[in-house]
Amino acid sequence: MTFIFDAHADIWSDVVVRRSRGEREVFRNRHLEKFKKGGVSGGIFVMWIDPPFDQNPKQRLAEIIKAAQAELEEASGLLHLVRSASDFDAAAALGKMPVVWGVEGLSGIGSDLGGLEALYDLGIRHMSLTWNEANPLATGVKQAPDRGLTALGFEAVRQIEALGILLDVSHLNEKSFWEVMSATSKPLIASHSNARALCDAARNLTDEQIRAIASTGGIIGINSYRDFIDLDPAKQTIERFVDHIDYIVSLVGVQHVGLGYDFCDYIEENLIQGSMLDASRSTAPDTLGLETAEKASEVLKHLRERGYKESDIENIAGANFVRLLKDRLEE
């Protein structure tokens, strides 16, 4: 079976909510079966400050870390935390799922860049500077277009790269994006963003941004969230999702494309009305044919129908992201 690596899963957000209600072994009980049915064999599991906890992000980050650590211990027979390049092979040898621990937005460290090394020491190997918010480091897509990286943000980019953490530019506004590009010397990813040429959403990437990421040796993970696939609800389908793969492959090559599904079925169960998240989400049905992780492997069928070679499908499905992570983690 082709190895599918999902470069963006909000699993820890679900874990912290459910564990706060008294649930345990959340991944095993709530996600494992979906992953198995969809053929998802690894991924980047991110911590994200869920509204309304964005008013005290430091406290919320600590809560999510505690929940994630407990969950990793309970799921030690299923999940293998990736800290170094060799952990991918170790996970395979043990029959476990390789999980890269990520942070979606660094509001939780505030202005304390010492938090970057502390997060690294915990095992975090992926970071984005911001979610949709403006924070002491950078500016998200929902904020002022004339605000980009701060001086502290430029230093954060330098430290993140020096630590050997993979930097993610999804959610940055355009000014922040280009300032990251000016400051970076390592491959970047946009873990869950699509082509703006096919869907004119602020969270999607222009052709120039796509080419810039590819020029670093980076990868774009295609996002299954409906409003980033097409603005017309009638076109929010798996076929249109694959159109985004086709488009970016034609623009920069298959080696720069992966999957960053961003499945939201379990997030929307826990939505808090009136939050920033709520305002950014449509009320339309989920993307037809890609509603949950159970459908992840359906994308591979569509790629075969469109004439992709098996080697290219393997690269898109997961090999591209795994290769890049191994390269960054062994430096």
Side-chain angles (χ1 to χ4, degrees), residues 104-107 110 128-154 156-157 167-181 193 196 202-205 209 276:
E104 185 178 23
L106 287 167
S107 60
S128 58
L129 297 175
T130 182
W131 180 55
N132 289 335
E133 84 284 352
N135 63 33
L137 305 179
T139 311
V141 295
K142 297 289 182 179
Q143 307 302 319
D146 58 348
R147 183 185 190 270
L149 264 61
T150 64
L152 208 59
F154 279 101
V157 170
L167 185 59
D168 188 344
V169 297
S170 283
H171 280 287
L172 290 176
N173 70 359
E174 288 200 45
K175 183 173 175 61
S176 293
F177 174 93
W178 290 112
E179 289 179 345
V180 166
M181 286 299 307
S193 296
R196 200 178 297 181
R203 272 279 288 103
N204 287 340
L205 301 166
Q209 289 176 305
M276 188 196 309

Side-chain angles (χ1 to χ4, degrees), residues 6 8-11 13-14 17-18 21 26-27 29-35 40 48 223-226 261-272 277 281-282 284-287 289-296:
D6 183 357
H8 187 83
D10 289 291
I11 300 296
S13 298
D14 193 45
V17 170
R18 294 190 183 280
R21 298 171 182 168
V26 176
F27 181 78
N29 295 329
R30 296 281 184 173
H31 299 278
L32 179 60
E33 191 60 26
K34 290 180 182 180
F35 274 48
V40 180
W48 156 69
N223 189 327
S224 72
Y225 182 65
R226 52 189 176 257
Y261 285 110
D262 196 15
F263 290 117
C264 294
D265 51 308
Y266 53 90
I267 294 295
E268 293 180 350
E269 291 174 11
N270 298 317
L271 257 180
I272 299 168
L277 174 65
R281 298 292 190 182
S282 95
D286 289 327
T287 298
L290 274 178
E291 294 86 356
T292 74
E294 293 180 66
K295 302 290 187 68

Side-chain angles (χ1 to χ4, degrees), residues 195 210 220 222 242-258 303 308 312-313 316 320:
I210 292 167
I220 295 96
I222 309 303
V242 179
D243 287 346
H244 284 271
I245 295 178
D246 282 344
Y247 185 85
I248 297 178
V249 166
S250 70
L251 198 65
V252 293
V254 73
Q255 69 271 29
H256 299 294
V257 181
L303 291 175
Y308 281 78
D312 289 342
I313 292 171
I316 292 168
N320 284 338

